[in-house]
Amino acid sequence: MEETLKNSSSDGEWIVVLPSKGRQGRRKKPKPKGPAEDEEQPWKSDDLEIDPERLARLKQKMEISLKKIESSKFYAAFLEQLKSPEVSDQIRLVLGNETQLQMVMYGIGSIESYESPRFQLSIAILMKRDFDWVGDNIEVFDPVLSATESCFLESLGCTVLSVNEQARREALRPTLFFMPHCEANLYGNLLEANWRMDRLSRIALFGNSFQMYEEQVSFDPEVICATKRIIAAQSVTSEFAIETVSEDYFAAFHDSSWHFFSSGIDSELPLLVSEDF
């Protein structure tokens, strides 16, 4: 079972990081100060040099990860769940009159340094191959990405975003947000940017279990602030937990779920007019 943790940043401030286990490839990032904390910012990698040798090694590592995932019982179970009526019906509702979902990946981590981010990227690549409802272009962002990693992602047909959107992308079209093991505040930002049913209904979200957050919320004001919209969204959320099947994939996908948003007869979107939720 996961715990609610706080990680100290280099400047002495604190960042809420939920969940905590299996977060390989996500370097601790200092919490920005001042009013720009959650605003979108232009971004360039701190590592500006593309190293051909590192690029070749990364390609080999990804080929190994792809083959391992593709032939695994985990991916077989993952495919079976996506093809099941309960999940495929939800995807059709998100698509509406469209034929494809735009995939946006936030918080992938360092695919060069760690296996878990490579497994996560492999799932996204395989989904694009195996499902015609996944759009051809995958948009990717994580501030830890190096120039070498960005170059490799682009060679796979991905687009590395030049702006740190802080997960505040408005779902103006049907969109799959692929966000395994992101910080809680990023899920909150995504929900806040789309806090109306006509936008939430265009979202398929793969990420940390919202139900888990609801079970773990504490009286700590910072934890409450980071999870308030996640908890508030529960009344309009249909969640489908995935099975990690084996320990090989636990670190990369534990406590991950599919989330879809729709209001039923007895549920409506809560109005959050105060930041003191």
Side-chain angles (χ1 to χ4, degrees):
M1 192 69 176
E2 295 179 344
E3 298 176 353
T4 299
L5 300 180
K6 293 181 181 179
N7 287 350
S8 177
S9 67
S10 59
D11 60 8
E13 297 190 75
W14 295 84
I15 308 171
V16 177
V17 181
L18 295 168
S20 60
K21 295 180 182 177
R23 295 189 51 78
Q24 293 181 345
R26 309 196 194 284
R27 305 168 191 170
K28 296 183 181 69
K29 299 182 278 292
K31 181 180 179 181
K33 297 180 179 179
E37 179 177 340
D38 268 341
E39 294 178 2
E40 297 182 6
Q41 297 289 335
W43 173 84
K44 286 185 179 179
S45 172
D46 293 334
D47 176 5
L48 300 178
E49 181 180 354
I50 299 174
D51 186 323
E53 292 185 2
R54 286 170 55 193
L55 192 61
R57 288 196 297 270
L58 177 54
K59 182 179 179 181
Q60 291 177 342
K61 290 177 181 178
M62 271 303 301
E63 287 175 350
I64 292 171
S65 293
L66 275 165
K67 288 179 181 178
K68 186 173 181 179
I69 286 281
E70 184 179 21
S71 60
S72 68
K73 292 181 179 179
F74 164 71
Y75 188 60
F78 187 88
L79 287 177
E80 184 177 356
Q81 183 184 45
L82 278 177
K83 293 175 181 178
S84 69
E86 59 180 2
V87 176
S88 60
D89 286 350
Q90 293 285 344
I91 291 170
R92 279 193 288 271
L93 288 174
V94 174
L95 282 168
N97 295 324
E98 301 290 332
T99 58
Q100 290 187 322
L101 299 178
Q102 169 65 50
M103 185 186 290
V104 180
M105 299 181 66
Y106 292 130
I108 188 64
S110 174
I111 56 175
E112 183 177 11
S113 302
Y114 300 100
E115 187 176 54
S116 287
R118 291 195 293 273
F119 282 159
Q120 293 165 358
L121 178 60
S122 295
I123 286 289
I125 297 300
L126 291 171
M127 282 183 63
K128 185 176 74 167
R129 183 198 71 181
D130 293 337
F131 295 98
D132 57 9
W133 47 262
V134 177
D136 294 330
N137 179 43
I138 301 175
E139 295 181 278
V140 183
F141 182 80
D142 193 305
V144 308
L145 290 173
S146 66
T148 299
E149 289 171 318
S150 296
C151 180
F152 175 72
L153 286 165
E154 290 169 357
S155 74
L156 295 177
C158 301
T159 297
V160 178
L161 300 176
S162 60
V163 173
N164 184 351
E165 299 178 341
Q166 299 287 349
R168 292 187 177 277
R169 171 79 65 96
E170 294 182 359
L172 302 179
R173 55 170 295 189
T175 306
L176 165 56
F177 289 95
F178 192 88
M179 302 170 62
H181 294 175
C182 279
E183 283 81 4
N185 69 292
L186 292 181
Y187 299 114
N189 287 352
L190 177 66
L191 292 171
E192 183 179 12
N194 294 281
W195 202 246
R196 39 189 276 190
M197 282 313 309
D198 62 328
R199 289 186 183 167
L200 287 177
S201 63
R202 299 190 191 111
I203 291 175
L205 171 62
F206 181 75
N208 296 343
S209 166
F210 283 11
Q211 180 63 42
M212 179 192 66
Y213 283 122
E214 186 173 44
E215 293 171 356
Q216 294 186 349
V217 70
S218 72
F219 293 103
D220 187 306
E222 190 170 7
V223 175
I224 293 172
C225 182
T227 59
K228 62 180 182 180
R229 286 191 185 269
I230 295 172
I231 307 307
Q234 283 293 78
S235 63
V236 296
T237 302
S238 296
E239 179 173 332
F240 303 90
I242 70 162
E243 295 184 49
T244 53
V245 178
S246 75
E247 287 297 317
D248 291 346
Y249 307 104
F250 181 85
F253 299 105
H254 70 101
D255 292 318
S256 294
S257 294
W258 287 100
H259 304 81
F260 304 94
F261 308 95
S262 61
S263 57
I265 296 174
D266 298 324
S267 63
E268 57 185 41
L269 195 61
L271 294 175
L272 297 184
V273 295
S274 171
E275 290 304 308
D276 298 324
F277 175 78

